[in-house]
Amino acid sequence: MDISSAPFEYKPLPIKDSIRLLQVISRDSGGNIKCIMDENVPKQSCGYLALSYTWGSAKAEESIELNGRRFEVRQNLWELLFHMPTSPFYGAWLWVDAICINQEDPEERERQVRLMPMIYREAQMVLIALGTATRTFEDHARHDFAMYELFKKKYWTRTWIIQEVGNAEMPRVIYISKDHRFPRSMYVIEWKDFMRLMTEYRGVENDLPWMIAQTRENRIHGRQELHKLLKLHHGSMCQERRDKIYGLVGLASDFDDDTGFPFDYKKPLFQVFADVAIYLQKLRRTTSMRHNYYINILEICKDLDRTIGPLDVEEADHQDRSGVDGSIDITGPRILEVFALLYGRIESLGPSYRDLCNRDVSEEWKNYIMRRVPINMAPLISEQNEYFLKDIQSLDPSSEDKIFALKPTVSWTWARPKALRRSRRKYVKNAVKHGINRSLTGAPSSAGFQYVNRPTDKPTTPKSTLAEASLCLLSKGNDDWHPSSIGLVPPNARVGDFIFRAHGLAQAIVLRHTKLRGSNWRYELIGSASLAAEVSDYQDRLKKNAEREAEKRLETGKRSLKQKKKEEDEVDAFGICDFNKDETRCFVKLFMDVVTGYRFSKWDFAKSPGK
């Protein structure tokens, strides 16, 4: 290629909100592509086309001539620019992110990322470039296998194209045909025609193109919150992990550039996670979401974690790990507020998870349950215990983090909520009535109330391992003082500790509170716990498993690994959180630093009720 060896050098944009535009001038027989760039275009400029495409390989292998200088581009972009002179768009000004943004300047990139929703929204046309295809448009319109070729393109898996297509006012689908009858021809499909074909052949491939089209419709009608976007498109891909957040923000109906969303490519990934979590929490306080207890910040953190991927907590800012020293300031700007439902309290502590392998210990625990629970509930609790023991004994090593103890515990000082106040009055009243010596402040209980195989004088060292976790009997709700459920709690839990559940979490939160001077109380997050499901849920699961076994016997071939994995994922060994609207009086606000919130959000989340 006869291109100047001098590389292209960017000039700083004179105005922060201005953009650059590209125009393809010519292409010679040797494949040399000549382009020019206007480097001072106001953002309100009209008459340009915005290109939406997949970057492809990480290495730039081709070159073009840009303002008389050499500029390296990747193969996918070079292919598109190569065909521009013979396309209907020849001579048009183009906005192409890989060229019009100085990718080596983080500050410029942050400013341009903020402008991208406007750039695609204000474009005269957005070209959705699917790359190359082996067939013509007529073939795609007639045959489902041809449409499959377009639907399976890697283009639909990219994070940025969700925003680019979603903000497009006038999108067009383009691709280059490799059909031998019409070599290297660029086809253009009207969006409405592509939508018609997509609707007609929906289900031929996965629903990624359909999901993106629905996201665009929701954006037009203002029904696309950032949290929903994170949940819906967490599986999208990009090379820069921060872009898995930044690439969706511009589509969110609750995003406003004036609210100061924290775009920053220089920050470590964990700080990006923390910034977005705090930002979404502020949105919940200032919008109609603030009274919706079902939108849990830990659930939001989980969706953030699924979107960004594994994080290193060592990258956390000191403000986001304030709970590491054991005490947090709940008025601080970087504290997570978790609305949790009071589930009950720990009534008795049983054998450890490790001791369950001893058959004598297991049998003694079953007999202890029959003695402790009311006669009318004994059969039901005994059956629940059988199901629960079977589940927890079959857990694999990946379940180690399901039960953990916080060391040190995350604590704060606050006035006592009404829900805990009512709970204490009920417990005191029933303890006096029935002559049972309960510890209402979280101190160790008397030896007569403790499980016989757990010495009360032996200190329990908190360990974040499943083997050290203990079985327990729980009393549920505010009013019931009888043991009525089974659970697995961390080794530092005590009789009298409260159990809370948050919407969407498959595990529970263990909380302890003690009286201080005056009207304040000290609250401590002890760790995580797993609670047994209701017997009816276990029975439903057994019924579904039986139906699957029956279907399997009727199958002539083996199930695919993907189908088998899907079936296994549908089975949850523990109870799920299912809130009732009448239970809002039992909600309590818990506090934690972002690092602790991230650790809690690493739990597996159950499906929301009714979905």
Side-chain angles (χ1 to χ4, degrees), residues 403-405 454 460-465 468-470 489-494:
I403 309 295
F404 62 83
R454 190 180 181 89
T460 302
T461 302
K463 295 180 181 179
S464 56
T465 61
E468 298 296 326
S470 302
V489 295
N492 58 341
R494 299 175 183 172

Side-chain angles (χ1 to χ4, degrees), residues 179 431 497:
D179 191 289
D497 287 346

Side-chain angles (χ1 to χ4, degrees), residues 215-342:
T215 298
R216 179 175 180 270
E217 293 297 317
N218 291 336
R219 194 274 305 172
I220 294 174
H221 295 93
R223 300 192 306 264
Q224 200 70 280
E225 297 173 348
L226 180 56
H227 178 215
K228 293 180 180 178
L229 286 169
L230 294 173
K231 186 184 289 288
L232 183 63
H233 299 291
H234 71 273
S236 61
M237 297 184 295
C238 58
Q239 294 178 359
E240 169 58 71
R241 289 169 64 186
R242 296 168 184 82
D243 285 340
K244 298 199 74 174
I245 301 295
Y246 300 157
L248 297 175
V249 170
L251 265 179
S253 57
D254 51 2
F255 166 71
D256 183 357
D257 196 33
D258 296 333
T259 59
F261 185 88
F263 289 96
D264 193 339
Y265 281 95
K266 298 185 293 296
K267 281 189 175 182
L269 276 169
F270 191 89
Q271 292 187 28
V272 173
F273 167 88
D275 287 345
V276 179
I278 296 298
Y279 177 84
L280 290 171
Q281 179 168 262
K282 289 179 180 178
L283 285 180
R284 186 176 66 174
R285 291 174 179 168
T286 57
T287 66
S288 58
M289 295 165 61
R290 63 183 179 271
H291 297 305
N292 191 344
Y293 297 108
Y294 302 95
I295 300 177
N296 190 335
I297 189 62
L298 292 184
E299 188 174 6
I300 293 175
C301 287
K302 177 61 180 182
D303 292 326
L304 276 173
D305 177 59
R306 292 173 65 197
T307 303
I308 301 177
L311 301 175
D312 183 3
V313 296
E314 296 301 324
E315 298 176 345
D317 184 81
H318 70 279
Q319 287 184 320
D320 297 327
R321 54 190 308 124
S322 57
V324 173
D325 62 3
S327 179
I328 60 174
D329 178 9
I330 62 175
T331 62
R334 308 282 291 184
I335 298 298
L336 300 179
E337 300 177 359
V338 180
F339 286 94
L341 175 68
L342 176 60

Side-chain angles (χ1 to χ4, degrees), residues 52-53 116-117 120-121 126 128 154-168 191 207-219 224 226 228-238 243-252 307:
S52 175
Y53 67 105
M116 282 181 66
Y120 281 91
R121 198 174 298 127
V126 173
I128 301 173
K154 288 185 178 180
Y155 172 88
W156 303 109
T157 67
R158 281 189 60 237
T159 299
W160 278 110
I161 66 99
I162 300 169
Q163 176 178 239
E164 295 163 3
V165 176
N167 281 306
W191 180 251
D207 282 342
L208 283 177
W210 182 265
M211 286 167 56
I212 293 172
Q214 290 303 305
T215 298
R216 179 175 180 270
E217 293 297 317
N218 291 336
R219 194 274 305 172
Q224 200 70 280
L226 180 56
K228 293 180 180 178
L229 286 169
L230 294 173
K231 186 184 289 288
L232 183 63
H233 299 291
H234 71 273
S236 61
M237 297 184 295
C238 58
D243 285 340
K244 298 199 74 174
I245 301 295
Y246 300 157
L248 297 175
V249 170
L251 265 179
T307 303

Side-chain angles (χ1 to χ4, degrees), residues 100-118:
C100 297
I101 299 177
N102 184 359
Q103 301 293 333
E104 302 300 323
D105 184 351
E107 293 184 1
E108 178 184 311
R109 186 167 52 162
E110 291 167 16
R111 293 195 301 268
Q112 292 289 296
V113 166
R114 287 181 178 272
L115 295 177
M116 282 181 66
M118 178 278 305

